[in-house]
Amino acid sequence: MAENKKVIRVGSRESRLAVEQTMLLLRQIEKSHPELTFELVTMKTTGDMILDRSLDQVGGKGLFVKELDKALREKQIDFSVHSLKDMPMEQPEGMPIVAFSGRGEVRDVLVYPRGRERWSPDCGRPFVIGTSSERRRLQLAAMFPEAEFSLIRGNVLTRLKKLDEGKYDAIVLAAAGLIRLGLSDRIDTYLEPDQVIPAAGQAILAVQGRTGEDYSYLDCIACESARQEAEAERGFVRYLDGGCSSPIAAYAVKEGELLRLRGLYYEEETGRYLTGELTGPAEEAEALGIALAKKLQASVGGRTSCGKVRPGAPLNACPAGRRTSCGKVWLVGAGPSDPGLFTLKGQKVLSEAQVVVYDRLVGPAILQMMPEKAEKIDVGKRSGDHPVPQEEINRILLEKAREGKRVVRLKGGDPFVFGRGGEELELLAEHHIPFEVVPGVTAAAAVPAYAGIPVTHRDYCSSVHLITAHKKRGSGETLDFDTLAKLDGTLVFYMGLSALGDICRGLVAAGMEEDMPAAVLERGTTAAQRRVVSTVSRLPEEARKEKIQSPALIVVGKVCSLSETFRWAEDRPLGKQRIIVTRPKKRSRKMADRLTALGAEVILLPAIETEPIGNNEPLERAFSQLETYSWIAFTSAEGVDCFFDKLYEAGIDIRNLSGIRFAAIGPATEKALAKRGIFAEVKPTVYTGEALGTLLAEQVGPGERLLLPRADIGTEQVTAPLLAAGIAFDDVAVYRTELSDGEGNGLDIRPEDIVTFTSASTVRGFVRMFPGLDYRKVRGLCIGEQTAKEAEQYGIQVIVSDRADMDSMVEKLLEIVK
Ligand code: SAH
């Protein structure tokens, strides 16, 4: 009679797979013990509830068992059934594993999406494998070197659904789970255990009970070889780590009285892993596991079977709990190109970046702001001209952040306006990488403004619409011209140049007036910006005639008719000129500001940097005998600053210089000296070294001594006349000049550019930055004859300012552009 039957309460996770597995076991027991009745108690475990990150990250062990353990301890259930691979290596006090089921199909399998085309090597995308397990990722990376890995969580059914939705090209699952769910038809490729070593305990079910209770009725399902295999595998893992989700794998097979154990060991510090095998008596299963663990651990570092994890490294480089310094990503909008439109916040964040991942659309002047030491990753083009695929960019951001770096993802315009910023954040959010977004000035806000087009104006329209002409590839949708034509607003199309004809035709066909003003704006906010303003019906033809190129924005709407009235950008004195300033960074600001104020597009490209000489014995010697000098002559503002800074550091009162006479090569030097409270009495009329030297040769009297604090690479121009005149002088280097070892950050020098050179060393620095450039196509504006001579040596088209000062250089520039 049913009432006499003993009711045994059995705990299980509530996922369909867990229930199926438990039922499988219970049916088996029932067969041998018809007197028993089972009541299933299902529970949601922590592991089931946290679905948004990889378990490696959640940290903690036994995420799938804690709740069941509690129920067991509190006698709400009599035993619980688990997938052994989800169980922690250490069993809680008083709750041992009382039976191991026979092993099911142990292999992992690859499953491909249903109802979609399968990935193929020539489809131009990386092969994306979904997995949440670092163990699988490591091993699959060795099998599929080109594959990319993407996190997937959720139960088997959820994962299959995500797969079929096209989020992955394949996912990895345990065959046993699919089979138990009756889904074996979804298995596409079995992964052999020597290719992908399964998780310890895979395909074994474990029954967990309480000590002291009688579980003899479980003997009918207990499998001795599964127990031994499990103990060897778990012994291996326990010795190495003890965690249930670290990338350790072990697989034992019982062969007669022996166990053959294969294991994978991963060394977190180095990202290396290796696999190995050991055979031993099945009786001593756990000892075998420990022996293999020791063996692998001992050989890390020295052996050939070592696998190096592909760049990009481990998914769990900073798992919770062990996290030391997880990095952060800033998604930064650089604006449309003009560096003046780059936000202060963006500049600040960029200046502190350790890694910068940038696009083709980021303005060249902004690229020059990348910190010298930062790792710079150009994802706008790779070999040839192919941009790096989006998935790879996402991956790079994730990996760099996981290395603990401050990563700036620098994008043209605004990151969220047709910038795929959202897509890039998805993976970061999934992996709980901290991030910030720094908005940028989007093209639609700036490019029309620089073309004299106000995107809204109360007399002409009541709205403005940002539209992309390029939907995500394969989405198959086209623009809804009927709606667009009706809006009575300004329409701004991004990425529309190649579809310009279609757009204009579509709008007219949908009823837009043929003479609706429309414009194409090329390379807006740069010195090279161009615009074609016409009507919607004639625009395609006229843009073609003008050979308008990308990047270009299309604006359709009455406001376009204002562009001639409101034009301003090109009409600034230097509005059409791009100028490259090669001065050292700390000395370039003033010049850049002046040129920018005149409308030039200024790119700061320091070709040299100067640095005061620290331990400077010759200078100290000079300081100790200041009274012996009658003259001090300076040939640069930098020399003045270094000299006086050192004087201050040495604690020497400036009055020790009283009685000494001063000379300065030109106005900038003179001014720097005046700022120190000393007005030079000797200045040549021409600002060259030779002129200064000649003048000094005349002025310095017999028996007088001259101190010449200047650059380490000072030329003989100054000293030759002094030597010729037999004047006693000390030539003391106070700063070092170093040629830049930058590579121009991908800047391409165009024939219409003007490069300013303010010393011969800036010419040398520039040449070093652009080896192999056809210098005959470079227009160089040089500050003086000596600089010009250096530039001419390389074939640079030389223009020399009339005087060796900045005013004169600016005058010359204005003259040239006329
Ligand atoms: N996130 C960017 C847009 C990227 S889509 C932003 O907010 O501006 C790229 C498209 O932007 C280009 O095809 C072009 O249509 C437009 N664009 C970007 N910069 C531009 C510029 N300086 N001049 C003209 N169009 C520009």
Side-chain angles (χ1 to χ4, degrees), residues 497-775:
L497 194 59
S498 58
L500 180 61
D502 292 341
I503 291 170
C504 292
R505 268 191 305 279
L507 290 171
V508 172
M512 184 177 276
E513 285 167 29
E514 290 200 357
D515 58 358
M516 174 65 81
V520 184
L521 312 173
E522 180 194 87
R523 287 195 267 179
T525 81
T526 72
Q529 77 170 37
R530 292 197 300 157
R531 68 198 149 112
V532 174
V533 184
S534 176
T535 62
V536 71
S537 55
R538 297 214 317 272
L539 189 63
E541 174 58 27
E542 291 186 19
R544 200 163 30 244
K545 255 195 258 156
E546 292 296 322
K547 296 199 170 66
I548 293 290
Q549 308 241 316
S550 180
L553 208 61
I554 301 166
V555 186
V556 179
K558 293 180 193 137
V559 288
C560 292
S561 63
L562 294 168
S563 92
E564 204 47 36
T565 320
F566 291 158
R567 58 179 288 158
W568 60 274
E570 305 89 341
D571 300 339
R572 293 169 295 171
L574 295 176
K576 290 183 182 163
Q577 188 60 56
R578 191 166 90 158
I579 299 167
I580 290 152
V581 174
T582 57
R583 306 197 82 179
K585 209 183 251 145
K586 53 181 179 257
R587 302 244 163 230
S588 62
R589 195 64 266 165
K590 242 173 99 186
M591 181 157 189
D593 285 349
R594 269 188 78 176
L595 299 174
T596 306
L598 290 165
E601 179 184 353
V602 179
I603 298 180
L604 300 183
L605 184 79
I608 57 168
E609 284 305 341
T610 57
E611 202 191 333
I613 294 173
N615 270 340
N616 194 339
E617 262 179 51
L619 185 64
E620 277 159 27
R621 211 174 311 125
F623 282 167
S624 68
Q625 49 186 38
L626 279 175
E627 67 287 351
T628 67
Y629 298 110
S630 309
W631 290 87
I632 299 180
F634 289 105
T635 57
S636 67
E638 185 69 19
V640 172
D641 287 342
C642 291
F643 178 85
F644 283 94
D645 288 348
K646 278 281 172 201
L647 201 66
Y648 165 74
E649 277 170 34
I652 298 175
D653 192 293
I654 199 161
R655 283 168 292 191
N656 286 295
L657 302 178
S658 72
I660 298 181
R661 288 196 279 172
F662 283 82
I665 195 168
T669 311
E670 194 186 342
K671 192 164 171 194
L673 192 55
K675 279 192 182 160
R676 304 284 179 166
I678 290 171
F679 293 86
E681 40 251 290
V682 167
K683 312 162 265 195
T685 43
V686 209
Y687 316 138
T688 65
E690 196 181 346
L692 178 69
T694 312
L695 191 60
L696 286 169
E698 285 165 16
Q699 302 266 336
V700 180
E704 291 186 330
R705 198 168 179 82
L706 165 72
L707 177 62
L708 196 57
R710 54 181 193 151
D712 59 339
I713 52 162
T715 64
E716 286 164 17
Q717 302 243 320
V718 195
T719 48
L722 299 173
L723 285 170
I727 286 171
F729 67 93
D730 290 332
D731 186 1
V732 176
V734 288
Y735 65 95
R736 249 189 295 275
T737 307
E738 269 155 32
L739 302 190
S740 164
D741 46 17
E743 289 149 11
N745 289 336
L747 180 69
D748 69 308
I749 305 290
R750 306 183 194 135
E752 60 272 21
D753 292 336
I754 290 176
V755 186
T756 62
F757 295 112
T758 44
S759 67
S761 52
T762 59
V763 176
R764 287 194 293 274
F766 176 82
V767 167
R768 178 155 147 189
M769 281 174 130
F770 297 98
L773 183 71
D774 183 355
Y775 303 116

Side-chain angles (χ1 to χ4, degrees), residues 336 361 412-414 417-419 442-443 447 493-495 521 523-524 551-553:
L361 270 183
D414 180 90
V417 180
F418 307 127
T442 189
V447 174
F493 294 90
Y494 288 70
M495 295 176 277
L521 312 173
R523 287 195 267 179
L553 208 61

Side-chain angles (χ1 to χ4, degrees), residues 29-49:
I29 307 170
E30 268 177 338
K31 260 191 221 152
S32 312
H33 297 275
E35 77 284 6
L36 299 176
T37 295
F38 297 101
E39 184 191 317
L40 193 63
V41 180
T42 61
M43 291 175 200
K44 232 189 183 62
T45 62
T46 314
D48 295 314
M49 288 181 275

Side-chain angles (χ1 to χ4, degrees), residues 8 318 437 608 650:
I8 294 172
C318 50
V437 182
I608 57 168

Side-chain angles (χ1 to χ4, degrees), residues 339-586:
L341 300 180
F342 185 27
T343 65
L344 289 176
K345 190 165 182 181
Q347 290 183 43
K348 171 97 173 60
V349 168
L350 181 60
S351 72
E352 290 163 358
Q354 292 170 303
V355 180
V356 187
V357 181
Y358 64 96
D359 270 344
R360 197 173 38 88
L361 270 183
V362 176
I366 294 169
L367 291 182
Q368 299 305 328
M369 296 178 191
M370 296 191 284
E372 204 179 316
K373 288 208 182 78
E375 179 184 357
K376 297 157 195 141
I377 304 176
D378 178 359
V379 292
K381 54 174 180 258
R382 214 166 27 179
S383 57
D385 250 333
H386 302 294
V388 175
Q390 190 61 52
E391 292 76 12
E392 198 170 324
I393 298 175
N394 302 350
R395 186 93 219 151
I396 290 171
L397 297 179
L398 177 65
E399 281 164 4
K400 292 296 167 189
R402 287 197 140 153
E403 286 169 20
K405 302 274 172 59
R406 301 170 60 88
V407 183
V408 165
R409 169 70 174 116
L410 194 58
K411 304 169 82 75
D414 180 90
F416 282 167
V417 180
F418 307 127
R420 300 190 183 183
E423 288 171 51
E424 293 180 5
L425 291 189
E426 270 162 22
L427 192 68
L428 300 177
E430 225 172 72
H431 289 260
H432 293 259
I433 301 289
F435 59 78
E436 281 187 36
V437 182
V438 182
V441 178
T442 189
V447 174
Y450 273 55
I453 300 174
V455 286
T456 74
H457 187 303
R458 286 198 293 173
D459 296 341
Y460 298 91
C461 62
S462 54
S463 61
V464 54
H465 307 269
L466 311 191
I467 305 148
T468 173
H470 259 265
K471 292 251 174 110
K472 199 167 178 174
R473 213 166 292 157
S475 74
E477 293 163 62
T478 52
L479 292 171
D480 178 359
F481 290 114
D482 289 334
T483 305
L484 293 176
K486 267 194 243 115
L487 288 169
D488 187 33
T490 306
L491 307 180
V492 185
F493 294 90
Y494 288 70
M495 295 176 277
L497 194 59
S498 58
L500 180 61
D502 292 341
I503 291 170
C504 292
R505 268 191 305 279
L507 290 171
V508 172
M512 184 177 276
E513 285 167 29
E514 290 200 357
D515 58 358
M516 174 65 81
V520 184
L521 312 173
E522 180 194 87
R523 287 195 267 179
T525 81
T526 72
Q529 77 170 37
R530 292 197 300 157
R531 68 198 149 112
V532 174
V533 184
S534 176
T535 62
V536 71
S537 55
R538 297 214 317 272
L539 189 63
E541 174 58 27
E542 291 186 19
R544 200 163 30 244
K545 255 195 258 156
E546 292 296 322
K547 296 199 170 66
I548 293 290
Q549 308 241 316
S550 180
L553 208 61
I554 301 166
V555 186
V556 179
K558 293 180 193 137
V559 288
C560 292
S561 63
L562 294 168
S563 92
E564 204 47 36
T565 320
F566 291 158
R567 58 179 288 158
W568 60 274
E570 305 89 341
D571 300 339
R572 293 169 295 171
L574 295 176
K576 290 183 182 163
Q577 188 60 56
R578 191 166 90 158
I579 299 167
I580 290 152
V581 174
T582 57
R583 306 197 82 179
K585 209 183 251 145
K586 53 181 179 257

